[in-house]
Amino acid sequence: MEFNEVVLGRRSIRGFKPEPVPKDVIREIVALAIRAPSSMNTQPWHLHVVSGAPLERIRQGNTERNLAGVPASREIRMHGPYAGIHRERQKAIAAQLFEAMDIDWADKARRHDWVMRGFRQFDAPVSIVVTFDRDLEDNDIAIFDCGAVVNCLVNAAWSKGLGCVINGQGIMQSPVVREHARIPDDQVIMSCVAMGYPADDFPANAVVSRRRAVDEVVNFVGFDEA
Ligand SMILES: Cc1cc2nc3c(=O)[nH]c(=O)nc-3n(C[C@H](O)[C@H](O)[C@H](O)COP(=O)(O)O)c2cc1C
């Protein structure tokens, strides 16, 4: 695929075929992803590719703890609820997804079901837990670097016919993820990426999220100065 085709075509995938993803395909995708730039080429990331029984245990543990009302525990600093324009954008993508899935805002049961799907990593056959070296814990640059590798990862996966959703919900109960994905103590859990072959008939997979206009994002300085 051409670069434009990958970047413009990629979207988050939240419904997957049950078929497993061969290890060799994941290796090819990771080989592309780890060409991501990082500060001083430190490459602080680790990718824990979880499938099968351990992933089922993570889904189950996340579900049980969330239903029991255990507060979220993440290993990176978190913002509180979004406000202002960020909240508006959050609401806009939720509205697009709910419309596609035919979920009414007033239908609390189906909204709850959608949230629980997120905690189950959308039942994807693979979850890639992204961590970084703990000795860089007080260093925001390591988190920037993890973002770079994850962006490369989701685009590389798309270029090979796979779909992903970066899934903050999937690591909200981080002790469960740490235990079953067997994360070493000297690494910090950053996020996870649910991955698999996109289900053709899952309506949310067709949602194309909106973006701000280039002129709203960019601030050219000095171009028109003599
Ligand atoms: C750090 C991060 C965390 C995310 N966590 C979730 C999540 O928990 N659940 C979910 O459905 N989507 C999650 N997403 C996906 C975003 O909602 C999605 O990328 C955004 O709406 C843009 O849509 P697109 O990926 O289809 O272009 C996350 C994305 C990022 C970058």
Side-chain angles (χ1 to χ4, degrees):
M1 273 193 212
E2 292 291 323
F3 182 78
N4 281 17
E5 211 184 322
V6 175
V7 171
L8 297 176
R10 186 211 59 83
R11 47 196 190 274
S12 288
I13 292 300
R14 297 178 175 88
F16 298 91
K17 292 181 180 161
E19 68 194 69
V21 185
K23 261 192 194 170
D24 283 353
V25 175
I26 298 174
R27 278 209 180 87
E28 274 179 48
I29 291 167
V30 171
L32 291 172
I34 60 178
R35 294 305 305 171
S38 61
S39 174
M40 311 277 180
N41 204 23
T42 44
Q43 307 169 65
W45 48 67
H46 302 268
L47 304 177
H48 301 265
V49 185
V50 188
S51 190
L55 180 52
E56 288 312 318
R57 287 197 285 271
I58 290 174
R59 291 195 230 281
Q60 198 182 343
N62 279 345
T63 303
E64 281 168 6
R65 285 170 66 116
N66 284 307
L67 287 177
V70 178
S73 57
R74 297 186 56 165
E75 299 188 357
I76 54 170
R77 282 182 301 159
M78 279 295 293
H79 51 76
Y82 284 124
I85 187 63
H86 302 119
R87 174 78 181 137
E88 291 309 311
R89 293 188 193 127
Q90 178 188 11
K91 278 169 36 185
I93 185 63
Q96 280 184 274
L97 290 167
F98 282 10
E99 191 187 343
M101 296 301 295
D102 201 20
I103 301 173
D104 196 301
W105 273 111
D107 189 340
K108 274 195 178 170
R110 288 200 63 211
R111 268 172 42 199
H112 177 73
D113 182 57
W114 181 255
V115 172
M116 295 314 290
R117 285 180 63 89
F119 286 124
R120 294 200 311 272
Q121 309 199 29
F122 297 96
D123 300 321
V126 171
S127 167
I128 303 187
V129 181
V130 182
T131 67
F132 61 94
D133 295 318
R134 191 176 292 285
D135 54 359
L136 300 177
E137 198 168 14
D138 295 328
N139 172 351
D140 289 342
I141 294 176
I143 290 178
F144 182 102
D145 294 339
C146 285
V149 82
V150 167
N151 185 44
C152 261
L153 183 78
V154 297
N155 280 299
W158 189 263
S159 78
K160 307 240 171 246
L162 278 134
C164 296
V165 61
I166 304 166
N167 190 211
Q169 280 170 293
I171 48 96
M172 281 226 194
Q173 298 289 350
S174 51
V176 171
V177 180
R178 179 165 282 287
E179 180 187 347
H180 299 298
R182 300 166 209 158
I183 308 295
D185 286 344
D186 62 355
Q187 295 176 22
V188 179
I189 298 174
M190 166 76 218
S191 197
C192 73
V193 178
M195 180 190 279
Y197 294 101
D200 301 324
D201 56 352
F202 193 74
N205 287 351
V207 168
V208 177
S209 56
R210 300 183 192 113
R211 291 294 186 274
R212 300 154 68 196
V214 170
D215 284 336
E216 200 191 317
V217 172
V218 85
N219 178 31
F220 288 111
V221 178
F223 279 73
D224 302 320
E225 290 170 24

